[in-house]
Amino acid sequence: MATDLLPELALIPAGEFLMGSEDAEEDERPVHRVHVDDVLLAVQPVTNAEYARFVRDTGHRAPAVYELPLVVTAGGAERERSFRHTGAPYVWENVDPPNGRADHPVTLVRFDDAVAYCAWLSTSTGRLFRLPTEAEWEKASRGGVESKRYPWGDRLDQNLSNFLVDPALKSTHGTTPCRQYPPNAFGLFDIAGNVWEWVQDWYDPAYYAASPARNPLGPPTGQLRVLRGGGWLVADVRMLSCSHRHKVPPDTYSYAIGFRVACLP
């Protein structure tokens, strides 16, 4: 087994936490107490360098602008032009990541790409890797701090996270190397900002009202998937909160979406 492929992992200890927020979007309510068992999360999102080993080993298609996702085509020709233009610096050359971005989070990955990476990493290391659940992700992002808005408390500024402080700077902004900003109390880097992160749950706006009290897995089926954590394109800091649920069609991918892996201890 290729133990050198194992990512650095942080233990998120078993226990209860308050999931959701009463002063945010309706789908973040009701706030409810959830127990999550011990889980290990990668301390950072999967990087381009890590993803490159997967691409070269499996022949999986490299991150690029392929068939356009629904979130782009629904916006017409102008959105398509913007998507292609902004995505260009993140497109790989065959099996090689963009120059100078080896330690940046991988982007331009769909949900299915993230699942395929987890399957390859599991086979390669002998450990069962997967995407975290929404509950695992939110508990981890909170860093053991109860009912605060962000991983570091109720305050967020440009020294703590990579987000779009000034929308006018979008054309010169982008992903940053992982670990450039301080971790939360569980040692997780880039848990807010830099890239949105896929989680394994289907989306249901009313799920919290019926969610199991222990290890919720989300609804069994759905039409939309969930992203967590915000990304470098986010100018509305409410989207960077621990509780924010960003819903997208399953075919979505972009230059601001990546993922991190989870496994059991």
Side-chain angles (χ1 to χ4, degrees):
M1 296 297 178
T3 55
D4 62 314
L5 294 176
L6 283 171
E8 184 180 349
L9 300 165
L11 174 65
I12 313 304
E16 293 186 345
F17 78 106
L18 288 175
M19 187 170 184
S21 174
E22 291 292 3
D23 61 351
E25 300 297 326
E26 186 175 350
D27 64 0
E28 298 169 43
R29 303 192 294 268
V31 173
H32 54 295
R33 192 164 289 280
V34 175
H35 176 95
V36 175
D37 290 342
D38 281 342
V39 65
L40 295 167
L41 256 64
V43 301
Q44 65 184 26
V46 174
T47 65
N48 282 311
E50 290 171 324
Y51 201 80
R53 296 186 68 171
F54 159 63
V55 169
R56 292 164 185 158
D57 195 34
T58 64
H60 194 89
R61 71 180 187 179
V65 176
Y66 295 105
E67 59 278 2
L68 295 176
L70 180 62
V71 294
V72 174
T73 58
E78 180 56 38
R79 182 175 291 183
E80 177 179 338
R81 282 193 294 272
S82 176
F83 185 82
R84 292 185 183 279
H85 174 74
T86 308
Y90 301 90
V91 172
W92 290 33
E93 182 67 32
N94 296 319
V95 297
D96 296 320
N99 287 336
R101 295 183 184 268
D103 56 352
H104 288 228
V106 67
T107 61
L108 299 177
V109 288
R110 304 161 301 173
F111 176 85
D112 289 347
D113 296 322
V115 170
Y117 179 89
C118 290
W120 166 80
L121 188 61
S122 298
T123 300
S124 301
T125 64
R127 299 280 297 272
L128 186 58
F129 283 94
R130 55 174 173 78
L131 295 175
T133 65
E134 268 204 275
E136 288 170 341
W137 191 98
E138 185 169 328
K139 183 176 191 291
S141 73
R142 292 184 178 280
V145 180
E146 192 87 311
S147 301
K148 296 296 184 181
R149 188 174 299 276
Y150 303 110
W152 308 274
D154 286 325
R155 182 181 66 88
L156 182 66
D157 62 42
Q158 59 188 322
N159 297 311
L160 294 172
S161 176
N162 177 18
F163 61 97
L164 198 57
V165 178
D166 182 354
L169 300 177
K170 174 182 174 180
S171 62
T172 59
H173 201 44
T175 58
T176 48
C178 293
R179 309 193 190 208
Q180 182 166 307
Y181 295 87
N184 74 352
F186 284 148
L188 302 176
F189 295 88
D190 299 291
I191 197 71
N194 214 1
V195 290
W196 290 99
E197 298 181 11
W198 288 113
V199 292
Q200 73 175 34
D201 306 36
W202 287 104
Y203 174 76
D204 178 350
Y207 183 70
Y208 284 10
S211 173
R214 296 182 68 90
N215 302 312
L217 300 176
T221 60
Q223 299 297 316
L224 300 172
R225 288 287 184 184
V226 182
L227 295 166
R228 288 297 198 120
W232 67 267
L233 265 178
V234 167
D236 182 351
V237 295
R238 292 175 297 180
M239 290 186 171
L240 296 160
S241 71
C242 297
S243 61
H244 183 75
R245 310 172 73 202
H246 194 53
K247 53 197 180 291
V248 295
D251 73 332
T252 299
Y253 68 97
S254 94
Y255 31 80
I257 295 176
F259 66 102
R260 79 177 67 216
V261 298
C263 71
L264 295 181

